Amino acid sequence: MQIRQLFDADTSTYTYFLYDEKSKEAAIIDSVKEQFERDKAYVEQLGLNLKYALETHVHADHVTASGLLRQAFGAQVGVHESSRSACADILVQDGDKFVLGDQVIEAIHTPGHTDGDVTYKIEGALFTGDALLIRGCGRTDFQAGNPEQLYDSITKKLFTLADDTTVYPGHDYAGFTCSTIGEEKAFNPRLGNNKPKDDFVAIMNGLDLPNPRRIDVAIPGNMKCGLA
Amino acid sequence: MQIRQLFDADTSTYTYFLYDEKSKEAAIIDSVKEQFERDKAYVEQLGLNLKYALETHVHADHVTASGLLRQAFGAQVGVHESSRSACADILVQDGDKFVLGDQVIEAIHTPGHTDGDVTYKIEGALFTGDALLIRGCGRTDFQAGNPEQLYDSITKKLFTLADDTTVYPGHDYAGFTCSTIGEEKAFNPRLGNNKPKDDFVAIMNGLDLPNPRRIDVAIPGNMKCGLA
């Protein structure tokens, strides 16, 4: 599987293209509406057949390009069923598989940042959205977020995978592009080094963060696949 | 070889850590002074033995952290011999090899952006600095830049490598993180698709770009490994 990581500097969002080199069947994970023209040109240049526009969750900080990518390329939009998205073609469930040529992407339901977070897994790599970030994790104070649930998602579903599994996050604000499960198990300050659940919950409940600046536009926009 | 790509958003600069997982011997390519604390913490956390702080060239747009990394970890600073750097420990020449455990980094002299540009090569990947960028290349209008030379560096030394060789550039301004030799040979608008040298030279000589905003600080600062 070919992996291409792309960055939206304005929202520090990572978008990923995954494609099977032989068949050119492709998926995009967490597209950004403002980058639609860039990503459209990239698909055309590489001759990709964009089958899927997958979301790790309904984002509160940026609007997706999934609706535009469906219009342009016929990509099926996938969002977790808990999102109650009215625009998705596929209401993703834990264990769902998305086939690109000989390659397979598997969905792992990792709720806690929102109730509908999905981590996408390929051999050797995870696309964790805002569940597990590099030396951090997504906040848990809105969109049915729940710190106990996020702790279980990360420690029971992700930290049980091989240490050398690459972690590709949905954002990074310090310039890191990837990590590994082994590194996050060792060094994640919120839940690495076997930190107990109670400590994690106390950290998350004490964050006292301001709302994302675009939340009032982003959530309703994403519920309509960016076509609102 | 483990590769970690890091980003400095202020100058759109990519920094790379390369390390041998077994021995933990490491090199950093194109560090950024403002990111020294981030990178120092990363070296310490991963338990790396930072042997080399390599530069692809004397940068005009940001100041290196190489002097600070030498002070902190004993890393040897490597800059191409054409740079006439007074602070470097190693005046890098074409063909030089830097050994990290069982892994080897090889220097390829790729002048044209400056006269002292080096592309660092490991198996399957190139760190091209500002010689070859994604769908672009470095400018050629100062620091002994020369478009004819850059054309030859890219087409004769880089485009002759395997198509699936990953290209990790020194910068990107559109959010791309990597490319391949095959893609750049096909799609680079300045010299892909077998564009003749004369056309490339005309493009480069017609760019009429303003000076980098930090050039008066960056070049003299880098000539002193960022310790000026």
Side-chain angles (χ1 to χ4, degrees):
Chain A
M1 187 87 89
Q2 289 284 318
I3 302 168
R4 296 304 171 85
Q5 183 176 35
L6 300 103
F7 189 59
D8 176 63
D10 188 40
T11 60
S12 298
T13 299
Y14 285 120
T15 294
Y16 299 91
F17 277 105
L18 308 184
Y19 67 95
D20 171 54
E21 206 157 12
K22 210 168 62 183
S23 66
K24 301 283 187 186
E25 292 188 346
I28 189 169
I29 297 175
D30 288 346
S31 61
V32 173
K33 189 169 185 177
E34 287 75 11
Q35 302 291 354
F36 170 67
E37 292 297 336
R38 176 194 70 185
D39 296 350
K40 178 171 174 280
Y42 201 52
V43 168
E44 289 169 348
Q45 204 169 56
L46 297 184
L48 302 180
N49 169 13
L50 191 68
K51 285 180 71 178
Y52 302 110
L54 303 174
E55 303 291 341
T56 57
H57 62 296
V58 175
H59 308 278
D61 53 0
H62 70 272
V63 175
T64 181
S66 63
L68 295 172
L69 291 162
R70 176 168 55 196
Q71 287 176 351
F73 300 109
Q76 288 191 288
V77 176
V79 191
H80 190 266
E81 58 174 354
S82 301
S83 67
R84 292 164 292 278
S85 166
C87 67
D89 302 294
I90 303 165
L91 292 173
V92 178
Q93 293 182 288
D94 188 69
D96 276 0
K97 290 182 169 58
F98 302 92
V99 175
L100 305 176
D102 296 333
Q103 317 281 335
V104 178
I105 303 169
E106 188 184 337
I108 305 172
H109 186 211
T110 47
H113 168 58
T114 74
D115 57 349
D117 273 60
V118 174
T119 291
Y120 294 100
K121 179 177 182 292
I122 61 170
E123 196 182 324
L126 295 170
F127 303 86
T128 54
D130 294 6
L132 179 60
L133 300 174
I134 299 173
R135 312 295 191 265
C137 65
R139 60 196 292 176
T140 55
D141 57 337
F142 52 68
Q143 286 179 282
N146 178 315
E148 283 92 352
Q149 212 173 27
L150 184 57
Y151 185 90
D152 289 343
S153 290
I154 295 175
T155 60
K156 294 182 181 170
K157 295 185 174 180
L158 304 183
F159 281 2
T160 52
L161 299 170
D163 276 358
D164 63 354
T165 306
T166 304
V167 172
Y168 288 108
H171 300 281
D172 194 85
Y173 304 94
F176 293 97
T177 59
C178 69
S179 182
T180 63
I181 287 297
E183 269 184 45
E184 296 310 316
K185 273 165 67 178
F187 304 123
N188 193 299
R190 291 190 181 167
L191 39 48
N193 200 18
N194 295 311
K195 186 168 284 197
K197 188 193 263 193
D198 286 351
D199 293 4
F200 176 75
V201 171
I203 291 170
M204 297 310 291
N205 286 340
L207 288 179
D208 195 24
L209 297 167
N211 264 358
R213 61 191 157 108
R214 297 189 186 167
I215 189 170
D216 295 335
V217 173
I219 294 179
N222 286 320
M223 291 298 280
K224 295 180 180 172
C225 295
L227 297 176
Chain B
M1 189 86 89
Q2 290 284 317
I3 302 169
R4 296 303 171 86
Q5 183 177 34
L6 300 104
F7 189 59
D8 175 63
D10 189 40
T11 60
S12 298
T13 300
Y14 285 120
T15 294
Y16 299 91
F17 277 105
L18 308 184
Y19 67 95
D20 171 54
E21 208 157 13
K22 210 168 63 181
S23 67
K24 301 284 185 186
E25 291 188 348
I28 189 169
I29 297 175
D30 289 344
S31 61
V32 174
K33 190 169 184 178
E34 286 76 9
Q35 301 291 356
F36 170 67
E37 291 297 335
R38 175 194 70 184
D39 296 350
K40 178 170 174 280
Y42 201 51
V43 168
E44 290 169 347
Q45 203 169 58
L46 297 184
L48 302 179
N49 169 13
L50 192 68
K51 285 180 73 178
Y52 302 111
L54 304 175
E55 302 291 340
T56 56
H57 62 295
V58 175
H59 307 278
D61 53 1
H62 71 271
V63 176
T64 180
S66 63
L68 295 172
L69 291 162
R70 176 168 55 197
Q71 289 176 351
F73 300 109
Q76 288 192 288
V77 176
V79 191
H80 190 264
E81 59 174 355
S82 301
S83 67
R84 293 165 290 279
S85 166
C87 69
D89 302 293
I90 304 165
L91 293 172
V92 177
Q93 294 182 287
D94 188 69
D96 277 1
K97 289 182 170 57
F98 303 92
V99 176
L100 304 177
D102 296 333
Q103 316 281 335
V104 179
I105 303 169
E106 187 184 338
I108 306 172
H109 186 210
T110 47
H113 168 58
T114 75
D115 57 350
D117 274 58
V118 174
T119 291
Y120 294 100
K121 180 178 183 293
I122 61 170
E123 195 182 324
L126 295 170
F127 303 86
T128 55
D130 293 4
L132 179 60
L133 301 175
I134 299 173
R135 312 297 192 262
C137 65
R139 60 196 290 175
T140 55
D141 56 337
F142 53 67
Q143 287 178 281
N146 178 315
E148 283 93 351
Q149 213 172 28
L150 184 56
Y151 185 90
D152 289 344
S153 290
I154 294 174
T155 60
K156 294 182 182 170
K157 295 185 174 180
L158 304 183
F159 281 1
T160 52
L161 300 170
D163 276 358
D164 64 353
T165 306
T166 304
V167 172
Y168 288 107
H171 299 280
D172 194 85
Y173 304 95
F176 293 97
T177 59
C178 69
S179 181
T180 64
I181 287 297
E183 268 184 45
E184 296 310 316
K185 275 165 67 177
F187 304 122
N188 194 300
R190 291 191 180 166
L191 39 50
N193 201 18
N194 294 312
K195 186 167 284 198
K197 188 192 262 193
D198 287 351
D199 293 4
F200 176 75
V201 171
I203 291 170
M204 297 310 292
N205 287 340
L207 287 180
D208 194 25
L209 297 168
N211 265 355
R213 61 190 158 106
R214 297 189 186 166
I215 190 169
D216 295 335
V217 173
I219 294 179
N222 286 321
M223 290 299 280
K224 295 180 179 171
C225 297
L227 296 176

